[in-house]
Amino acid sequence: QEKDEKNIDDNLTVTMHMQTMDPVKAIKMLKGALTNIQKMKIEEQKKEKEVENYVDFYYEEDKNLDCRKTMEDLPCIINKVNGDSKINYFSIFDGHNGIISAKFCKDNLHSILAKMLKTEQKTSTIEKIIENAFVKCNTDLMAKLEKNNESGTTASLLLLTQENLKTKNSPKINKIIKRILYCANVGDSKGFLIKKNGEHKQITTDH
């Protein structure tokens, strides 16, 4: 074992200890160290991915079949609209005079909205895109229904997003990430915002 001391600028002393080692053993040790570094990188990447895909909300569907034998209410939940974990879709449709309209809207409104978000989000507001999606879905439904079919449906929709909001107050911070809940409805299917303490507020408008 050798010991070497070097003086740097007379204020700092660096002491190095060097030990002779079998070349094969040295290579194995070096490979082991590199493997550990690689494992650490993979773990860090996993953590970053978990944070990226982290969803800070929960949802549940209850068809309430204990109280009613038949149900024309159809829910639709799309987690990660267009594969984006920052956009989540929740909706319910209450059919009238049959389930045809409710089923059509359940099967199509979310895909219409997803396509419009892809093509129009840079040039329009989310509020306007949701409105356009409702109109498009209704037009497509009317074209599909038979002439004398009086089937209809209500529609209540929630879009939960995570958006980067620019701020002018601080030049050092150019964006703030916020959760935004968009709500839209047609008809009288009610939606409520309920706090843990029981306080609640209706966020849909019956019409």
Side-chain angles (χ1 to χ4, degrees), residues 37-203:
I37 292 172
Q38 190 64 28
K39 285 180 179 178
M40 289 171 63
K41 286 183 178 179
I42 292 172
E43 287 301 318
E44 287 298 319
Q45 290 173 355
K46 283 182 179 178
K47 288 179 181 178
E48 289 177 4
K49 198 68 178 176
E50 286 172 2
V51 171
E52 181 184 338
N53 294 330
Y54 175 67
V55 181
D56 57 352
F57 63 89
Y58 300 91
Y59 55 86
E60 184 177 349
E61 173 190 334
D62 184 358
K63 294 184 178 180
N64 199 19
L65 296 178
D66 292 336
C67 299
R68 297 181 62 175
K69 292 182 179 180
T70 60
M71 180 68 69
E72 293 180 349
D73 295 2
L74 295 177
C76 181
I77 298 170
I78 307 294
N79 193 9
K80 300 180 183 178
V81 175
N82 292 326
D84 188 350
S85 61
K86 298 182 179 69
I87 307 177
N88 302 274
Y89 168 99
F90 309 86
S91 62
I92 189 162
F93 307 94
D94 181 7
H96 301 292
N97 290 328
I99 204 170
I100 295 175
S101 294
K103 188 175 187 314
F104 180 90
C105 292
K106 176 201 173 207
D107 294 340
N108 291 277
L109 180 58
H110 65 87
S111 57
I112 293 171
L113 179 61
K115 288 177 183 177
M116 289 185 172
L117 285 170
K118 266 189 175 180
T119 58
E120 301 178 19
Q121 197 166 356
K122 291 183 178 179
T123 58
S124 185
T125 63
I126 290 183
E127 292 95 326
K128 188 62 179 177
I129 292 172
I130 293 174
E131 181 182 337
N132 291 342
F134 268 75
V135 173
K136 168 68 173 166
C137 188
N138 184 68
T139 301
D140 292 351
L141 172 62
M142 294 300 292
K144 181 179 176 60
L145 288 177
E146 297 177 2
K147 186 175 181 181
N148 296 322
N149 192 314
E150 296 183 354
S151 171
T153 184
T154 68
S156 292
L157 176 152
L158 292 177
L159 200 67
L160 181 62
T161 69
Q162 182 176 301
E163 300 178 30
N164 298 330
L165 304 180
K166 294 181 179 179
T167 175
K168 298 178 181 178
N169 298 331
S170 176
K172 295 182 180 179
I173 303 174
N174 58 14
K175 63 182 180 181
I176 298 176
I177 299 176
K178 283 192 174 181
R179 281 271 187 207
I180 299 179
L181 183 66
Y182 296 90
C183 177
N185 76 291
V186 173
D188 59 358
S189 288
K190 294 177 175 59
F192 291 88
L193 192 63
I194 305 173
K195 294 182 179 180
K196 288 183 179 180
N197 62 7
E199 293 181 13
H200 61 276
K201 177 182 179 182
Q202 185 172 338
I203 55 176

Side-chain angles (χ1 to χ4, degrees), residues 19-29:
Q19 183 177 355
T20 58
M21 183 179 293
D22 178 71
V24 176
K25 187 177 180 181
I27 291 172
K28 285 183 179 180
M29 183 179 291

